[in-house]
């Protein structure tokens, strides 16, 4: 894929430097990369350029400037010119190696390969920057398929009328030719294959104006004398007495552009002034000469460019090849290879010779044979169905390998945030250990955890109010202090106390396991491990695993699962495993998450995992009532806040860092993470709610159901493209349909807890519509050709 690089040079000067913005993207697409940098002050560069220009002009060739006396060139003058070239080249390279330009240079080298075909556009208002030989920079020399063009920052696309023709139309102006050989240019143009050339030899102004207005030209060519005035404006000598500026032909040239003019070639001297004026008329592409050009150089460039371009080479590479082939003349004409330059309208794409010679326009008399009309409906239906099948298959394949997973997970997050708020779970209480709690005297100066004394007092206070279960979400690998014998005894014997540990592969070094408290038996242990998605967001619930035999944390159930089991056991509900390996609680069978489930396509689904159906709060930490360690120890907690509840004890102090990103973390324009103890509270609430309150779990369609859903939207996209011929109407219809699709996905998720594919369906809708439009346009063009043949035969 060809690359487009745009270098936008902002307002500045050689004394102060120039800010530069670089954009890189695929040809035809929006820029994918933007980098900022600066060209530092370099006041000597204009001096070096002036030295070179003076040496170049002293060579004394007969050029296509307005007629001047021929001088004699000697070897010493040529040597002076090459010396000035070397000095300018070296300074230009050191300029782009400056530290302030380093970010752009490194991004260029990182993102562009020497094998890439690269179109570079330098956008600047500074005239001297446009004259500098940028192709001498090593950034270009190492890229054999890169060519640079110039542009002004202001541009726009002009709507052009395509015309039915099978040859490239060229208007060739052979102006004042005193002292130069324009007949050689004519001979080259006459030999062009697939071209119709209209020659105007030393025309009068009115004749030239009439020709520009008369019909649609693809290429405008000028050969003869020209020059740039002191104010930068360019003039062309159309005959021996008259010269015109571009503004003198303003309206005629605007009309020519509207009628399809794609390229202007001024094979004459000092054409940057002409190019800047032509750019104001938004001509797509212009080729000019930077400096006075010798006759021989002008002929060779034109010959090589036309040969390459008409032979099928891309426009930019044709210019580069023709320019570089001029190096063979540089023993006689120094710097010949840097004279030709492209002046580009960035809103337009470079032309291809084959495209210029095969253009079609809609006819107001759209005659079709009756037998053909009968087939159109069937052809369009077949096109639409075939396109929808191909598009759906491609999107399904791309989705299956996980390419759409990041986008689908972001859509999942948005669906989660759009649900209506729910009430807090009245069965839960969270005891949050805050930064202030670490300062309590019971903590004995211990931070990050609970001291034995503080934990003993906390459990004693809670037990007074008869909770149904107590979960300690704090690692305690060390044994209880012998002075706290009652605490050790409680942890050993209490059937409602659940402790936490961490499972890990014993061979792992980055995420080692954490042992449970020595006093707590395995039956009352729960692992704290969670499964984060590649973007670091917690969307899945790890219910159970088969721990590694050597893991020091050997419990098969999650901490939150154990707490839910304890709560439900008091009501006679116990966990069971079905023959299919599913976990059942009462009448509810929990669905296991597989590697290809909904938007998940490339995950490790080891263990028993479920989608985490967050209670939809503005903040997920509102899942349960919250008190602090200080509140409990100072008797500020009501007995009803504890009785028959599950009490989760965990650290919420930011210094500990036990926080997780959730689907709510980017909601509402803020960024928040959820403390680990509230993560477990969400998981406990999910299990209790599905069993006791029939709150639905998140579910997805079967694979065949998702495929049919995506295909249905693909077919709808094809039908819309079939129904609406106007691009504007089609775009509006697609926009409305995407809104309906989004609304259905939101409603399904909010009211049915069903996660249906949004991103793949939207892509199928748009891609199929675009595919049908492209194929219909192609079929229409073929039909017009058949109609033309039929009309001619009758």
């Amino acid at each position: 894929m060809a690359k487009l690089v745009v270098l936008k040079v902002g307002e500045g000067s050689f004394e102060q430097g120039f800010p530069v913005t670089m954009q890189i993207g695929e040809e035809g697409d929006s820029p994918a990369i933007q980098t900022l940098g600066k060209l530092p002050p370099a006041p000597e560069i204009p001096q070096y350029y002036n030295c070179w220009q003076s040496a170049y002009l002293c060579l004394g060739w007969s050029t296509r400037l307005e007629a001047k006396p021929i001088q004699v060139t000697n070897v010493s003058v040529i040597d002076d010119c090459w010396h000035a070239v070397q000095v300018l080249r070296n300074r230009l390279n050191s300029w782009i190696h400056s530290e302030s330009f380093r970010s752009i240079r490194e991004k260029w080298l990182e993102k562009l390969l020497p094998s890439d075909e690269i179109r570079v556009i330098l956008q600047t208002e500074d005239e001297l920057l446009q004259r500098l030989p940028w192709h001498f920079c090593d950034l270009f020399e190492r890229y054999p398929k890169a060519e640079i063009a110039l542009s002004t920052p202001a541009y726009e696309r002009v709507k052009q009328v395509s015309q039915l023709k099978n040859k490239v139309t060229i208007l060739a102006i052979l102006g004042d030719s005193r002292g130069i050989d324009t007949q050689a240019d004519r001979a080259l143009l006459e030999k062009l294959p697939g071209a119709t050339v209209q020659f105007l030899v030393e025309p009068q102004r009115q004749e030239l104006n009439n020709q520009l207005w008369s019909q649609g030209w693809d290429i405008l060519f000028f050969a003869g004398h020209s020059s740039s005035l002191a104010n930068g404006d360019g003039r062309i000598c159309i005959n021996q007495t008259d010269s015109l500026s571009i503004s003198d032909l303003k309206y005629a040239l605007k009309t020519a552009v509207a009628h399809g003019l794609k390229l202007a070639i001024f094979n004459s001297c000092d054409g940057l002034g002409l190019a800047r004026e032509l750019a104001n008329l938004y001509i797509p592409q212009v080729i000019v000469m930077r400096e006075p050009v010798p006759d021989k150089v002008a002929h060779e460039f034109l010959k090589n460019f036309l040969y390459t371009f008409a032979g099928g080479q891309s426009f930019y590479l044709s210019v580069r090849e023709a320019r570089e082939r001029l190096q063979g003349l540089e023993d006689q004409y120094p710097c010949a290879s840097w004279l030709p330059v492209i002046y580009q309208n960035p809103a337009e794409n470079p032309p291809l010779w084959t495209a210029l010679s095969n253009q079609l326009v809609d006819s107001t008399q759209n005659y079709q044979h009756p037998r053909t009309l009968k087939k159109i409906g069937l052809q369009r239906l077949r096109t639409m169905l075939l396109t929808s099948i191909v598009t759906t298959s491609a999107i399904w394949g791309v989705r299956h390998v996980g390419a759409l997973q990041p986008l689908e997970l972001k859509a999942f997050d948005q669906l989660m945030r759009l649900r209506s708020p729910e009430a807090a779970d009245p069965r839960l209480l969270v005891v949050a250990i805050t930064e202030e709690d670490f300062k309590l005297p019971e903590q004995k100066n211990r931070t990050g955890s609970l001291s034995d004394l503080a934990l003993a007092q906390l459990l004693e206070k809670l037990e007074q109010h008869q909770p149904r279960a107590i979960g300690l979400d704090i690692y305690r690998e060390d044994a209880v202090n012998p002075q706290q014998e009652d605490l050790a005894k409680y942890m050993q014997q209490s059937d409602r106390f659940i402790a936490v540990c961490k499972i890990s592969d014993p061979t792992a070094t980055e995420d080692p396991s954490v042992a449970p408290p020595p006093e707590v038996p395995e039956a009352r242990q729960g692992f704290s491990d969670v499964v984060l998605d590649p973007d670091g967001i917690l969307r899945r619930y790890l219910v159970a695993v088969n721990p590694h035999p050597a893991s020091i944390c050997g419990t098969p159930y999650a901490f939150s699962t154990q707490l839910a089991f304890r709560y439900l056991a008091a009501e006679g509900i116990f966990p069971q495993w079905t023959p299919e390996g599913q976990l059942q609680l009462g009448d509810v069978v929990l669905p296991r998450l597989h590697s290809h489930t909904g938007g998940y396509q490339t995950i490790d689904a080891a263990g028993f995992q479920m989608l985490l159906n967050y209670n939809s709060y503005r903040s997920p930490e509102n899942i349960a009532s919250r008190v602090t360690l200080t509140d409990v120890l100072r008797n500020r907690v009501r007995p009803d806040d504890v009785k028959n509840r599950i009490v989760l004890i965990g650290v919420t102090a930011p210094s500990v860092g036990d926080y997780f990103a959730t689907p709510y973390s980017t909601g509402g324009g803020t960024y928040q993470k959820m403390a680990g103890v509230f993560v477990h509270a969400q998981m406990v609430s999910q299990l209790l709610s599905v069993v006791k309150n029939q709150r639905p779990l998140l579910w997805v369609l079967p694979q065949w159901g998702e495929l049919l859903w995506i295909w249905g939207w693909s077919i709808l996209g094809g039908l819309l493209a079939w129904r609406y011929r106007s691009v504007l109407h089609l775009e509006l219809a697609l926009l409305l349909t995407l809104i309906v699709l989004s609304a259905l996905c939101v409603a399904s998720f909010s009211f049915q807890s069903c996660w249906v594919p949004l991103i793949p369906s939207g892509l199928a809708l748009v891609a199929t519509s675009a595919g049908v439009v492209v194929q219909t346009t192609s079929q229409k063009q073929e039909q017009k050709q058949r109609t033309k043949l039929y009309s001619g035969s009758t």
Side-chain angles (χ1 to χ4, degrees):
M1 189 71 173
K3 300 293 180 66
L4 173 62
V5 179
V6 180
L7 294 170
K8 299 182 178 180
V9 182
E11 186 175 349
S13 66
F14 285 93
E15 289 72 25
Q16 299 176 351
F18 297 91
V20 182
T21 301
M22 180 177 71
Q23 295 177 335
I24 301 177
E26 301 287 349
E27 189 70 79
D29 289 345
S30 299
I33 298 167
Q34 179 166 300
T35 305
L36 303 180
K38 182 179 181 181
L39 288 169
E44 69 282 1
I45 287 183
Q47 300 173 14
Y48 293 150
Y49 180 82
N50 290 335
C51 288
W52 168 81
Q53 190 179 50
S54 297
Y56 178 82
L57 295 176
C58 286
L59 292 172
W61 300 315
S62 175
T63 66
R64 295 191 173 192
L65 279 169
E66 290 183 274
K68 293 181 179 180
I70 299 177
Q71 301 174 14
V72 178
T73 301
N74 57 60
V75 175
S76 63
V77 175
I78 292 179
D79 290 343
D80 290 344
C81 183
W82 280 120
H83 175 72
V85 167
Q86 192 61 42
V87 172
L88 182 58
R89 183 208 300 257
N90 293 341
R91 185 60 188 95
L92 193 57
N93 271 298
S94 64
W95 200 28
I96 66 169
H97 279 79
S98 59
E99 185 64 27
S100 60
F101 197 71
R102 182 177 181 180
S103 58
I104 289 180
R105 180 182 177 84
E106 290 184 347
K107 186 63 67 175
W108 174 299
L109 296 173
E110 174 189 349
K111 297 298 181 181
L112 301 176
L113 300 175
S115 59
D116 289 338
E117 183 173 340
I118 307 169
R119 191 162 62 94
V120 183
I121 300 178
L122 177 69
Q123 288 186 2
T124 178
E125 290 281 11
D126 190 279
E127 180 182 350
L128 182 54
L129 283 177
Q130 293 182 347
R131 288 188 175 274
L132 292 177
W134 293 101
H135 60 277
F136 275 167
C137 298
D138 58 0
L139 281 180
F140 291 96
E141 289 185 337
R142 68 177 66 187
Y143 292 86
K145 296 182 180 180
E147 179 68 350
I148 188 169
L150 306 176
S151 169
T152 59
Y155 58 86
E156 69 178 66
R157 177 182 286 118
V158 176
K159 186 176 181 180
Q160 295 185 324
V161 178
S162 297
Q163 301 193 30
L164 181 62
K165 51 190 175 182
N166 55 13
K167 288 189 176 183
V168 179
T169 55
I170 303 174
L171 178 61
I173 307 165
L174 304 180
D176 180 13
S177 59
R178 286 176 295 172
I180 59 176
D181 180 14
T182 58
Q183 291 305 308
D185 298 290
R186 177 167 188 157
L188 291 171
L189 292 171
E190 288 176 337
K191 295 178 182 178
L192 269 178
T196 299
V197 186
Q198 174 68 51
F199 290 98
L200 296 180
V201 181
E202 296 194 357
Q204 298 299 311
R205 176 172 176 171
Q206 184 64 40
E207 182 185 4
L208 173 56
N209 188 75
N210 290 341
Q211 284 294 337
L212 288 171
W213 277 87
S214 64
Q215 60 174 298
W217 302 105
D218 296 313
I219 299 175
L220 173 64
F221 175 82
F222 174 81
H225 291 296
S226 68
S227 64
S228 293
L229 303 181
N231 61 1
D233 294 341
R235 298 189 69 86
I236 57 174
C237 300
I238 60 173
N239 54 52
Q240 295 188 16
T241 58
D242 296 324
S243 65
L244 300 176
S245 67
I246 298 302
S247 60
D248 292 330
L249 299 170
K250 175 180 178 181
Y251 299 114
L253 286 170
K254 278 190 172 183
T255 301
V257 173
H259 288 172
L261 181 63
K262 301 293 192 304
L263 171 62
I265 303 174
F266 284 78
N267 207 18
S268 57
C269 280
D270 204 11
L272 281 180
L274 295 170
R276 283 189 291 271
E277 290 191 78
L278 290 167
N280 294 331
L281 303 178
Y282 309 122
I283 294 180
Q285 283 83 210
V286 181
I287 299 177
V288 296
M289 299 293 176
R290 299 173 191 265
E291 301 288 345
V293 58
D295 227 19
K296 176 68 172 176
V297 173
H299 294 325
E300 283 297 311
F301 172 77
L302 182 64
K303 178 183 71 175
N304 294 327
F305 168 72
L306 292 176
Y307 174 82
T308 307
F309 186 47
Q313 181 70 277
S314 70
F315 176 70
Y316 270 61
L317 290 187
S318 297
V319 172
R320 172 161 181 160
E321 181 175 329
R323 180 177 57 75
E324 290 183 338
R325 291 183 70 167
L326 295 177
Q327 192 174 38
L329 302 176
E330 288 188 337
D331 58 335
Q332 302 176 48
Y333 306 102
C335 308
S337 62
W338 73 359
L339 298 180
V341 64
I342 303 169
Y343 220 92
Q344 173 75 49
N345 180 349
E348 302 286 352
N349 292 321
L352 287 172
W353 184 266
T354 53
L356 292 177
S357 60
N358 291 280
Q359 302 179 61
L360 294 172
V361 65
D362 289 338
S363 173
T364 56
Q365 301 295 326
N366 193 14
Y367 174 80
Q368 293 177 325
H369 191 269
R371 288 175 295 178
T372 302
L373 287 171
K374 295 178 181 179
K375 299 179 181 178
I376 289 179
L378 183 60
Q379 288 178 346
R380 289 177 177 171
L381 178 61
R382 192 161 49 236
T383 296
M384 183 271 294
L385 288 175
L386 180 60
T387 303
S388 69
I389 291 173
V390 172
T391 301
T392 302
S393 300
I395 290 176
W396 186 260
V398 170
R399 184 181 194 236
H400 192 76
V401 299
L404 300 181
Q405 180 171 299
L407 292 175
E408 293 201 73
L409 293 182
K410 291 302 180 184
F412 174 90
D413 296 345
Q414 186 61 42
L415 293 172
M416 186 72 71
R417 293 194 291 267
L418 289 174
R419 295 194 302 174
S420 301
E422 301 177 45
D425 195 323
R427 295 166 295 224
L428 305 179
L429 175 69
V430 172
V431 178
I433 312 302
T434 65
E435 299 285 4
E436 292 298 320
D437 292 333
F438 289 149
K439 301 176 184 178
L440 291 171
E442 291 86 349
Q443 273 293 98
K444 302 293 184 180
N445 296 321
R446 183 168 183 175
T447 60
S449 182
L450 284 176
S451 69
D452 290 347
L453 175 59
L455 178 58
Q457 293 185 10
L458 173 61
L459 294 174
E460 181 182 357
K461 296 283 186 181
L462 294 174
E463 284 288 345
Q464 292 174 5
H465 305 311
Q466 299 178 334
R468 191 171 292 190
I470 298 177
L472 181 64
D473 182 28
I474 300 176
Y475 295 132
R476 291 180 61 87
E477 295 184 272
D478 299 329
V480 174
N481 190 312
Q483 297 178 359
Q484 296 293 335
E485 183 178 347
D486 290 343
L487 174 60
K489 184 177 180 181
Y490 172 85
M491 296 172 67
Q492 291 169 355
Q493 299 178 0
S494 175
D495 61 352
R496 55 186 166 200
F497 180 77
I498 307 296
V500 74
C501 59
K502 184 175 179 60
I503 294 176
S504 180
D505 187 334
T507 62
T509 57
E510 297 182 358
D511 192 20
S513 58
V514 178
E519 299 81 9
V520 180
E522 185 174 298
R524 289 190 285 109
Q525 299 170 11
F527 61 79
S528 63
D529 301 68
V530 296
V531 181
L532 299 178
D533 288 328
D535 58 1
I537 293 180
L538 182 65
R539 301 183 183 91
R540 292 178 274 160
Y541 174 19
L542 188 58
V543 180
V545 297
N546 290 319
H548 193 283
S551 175
I552 57 179
C553 176
T555 177
Y557 292 109
F559 174 65
S560 51
T561 306
Q562 290 279 44
L563 288 172
F565 285 174
R566 296 287 164 177
Y567 186 94
L568 295 173
E571 302 187 11
I573 300 174
F574 299 94
Q576 303 178 55
W577 289 93
T578 68
E580 295 78 18
Q582 304 286 70
L583 180 61
Q584 181 173 348
L585 292 173
D587 297 331
V588 178
V589 177
L590 305 180
R592 181 192 294 265
L593 191 66
H594 299 285
S595 57
H596 294 280
T597 301
Y600 284 114
Q601 297 295 322
T602 57
I603 60 169
D604 181 0
F608 192 100
Q609 300 181 34
M610 298 167 50
L611 288 170
L612 182 49
N613 190 14
Y614 286 90
N615 279 23
S616 52
Y617 304 107
R618 296 188 183 279
S619 169
E621 291 191 354
N622 293 336
I623 178 67
S625 301
R626 177 195 324 210
V627 296
T628 65
L629 175 62
T630 302
D631 293 334
V632 178
L633 297 185
R634 301 299 181 259
N635 299 314
R636 300 173 189 162
V637 179
R638 297 178 303 170
D640 289 345
D641 291 338
V642 180
K643 188 172 183 177
N644 285 328
R645 296 198 185 195
I646 296 175
V647 180
L648 295 97
I649 305 168
V651 178
T652 61
S655 61
V656 176
D658 184 24
Y659 280 79
F660 298 89
T662 73
Y664 295 86
S665 294
T666 55
T670 60
Y671 188 86
Q672 60 174 7
K673 289 188 176 182
M674 183 168 62
V677 66
F678 291 104
V679 170
H680 296 299
Q682 286 279 356
M683 296 173 177
V684 173
S685 178
Q686 172 165 312
L687 291 181
L688 297 183
S689 296
V690 70
V691 176
K692 300 294 294 178
N693 307 111
Q694 290 74 51
R695 182 174 185 258
L697 293 165
L698 293 178
W699 60 285
V700 300
L701 298 172
Q703 292 279 295
W704 61 266
E706 290 190 330
L707 181 60
L708 289 178
W709 171 268
I710 296 171
W711 187 33
W713 289 101
S714 176
I715 291 176
L716 182 55
L719 290 173
L720 291 176
W722 189 9
R723 170 64 180 81
Y724 295 100
R725 307 299 171 79
S726 166
V727 175
L728 177 60
H729 291 167
L730 177 58
E731 289 176 346
L732 291 175
L734 286 174
L735 178 60
L736 180 60
T737 308
L738 287 172
I739 293 173
V740 172
L741 169 61
S742 301
L744 289 175
C745 291
V746 171
S748 177
F749 195 88
S750 299
F751 301 113
Q752 300 296 325
S753 297
C754 180
W755 182 20
V756 294
L758 172 58
I759 300 299
S761 305
L763 288 175
L765 174 76
V766 175
T768 303
S769 180
V772 170
V773 169
V774 170
Q775 293 201 44
T776 302
T777 302
S778 176
Q779 290 173 358
K780 186 185 298 183
Q781 291 177 347
E782 292 177 3
Q783 184 61 40
K784 286 180 179 178
Q785 293 289 357
R786 295 192 194 101
T787 299
K788 183 179 178 181
L789 292 174
Y790 176 81
S791 300
S793 64
T794 58

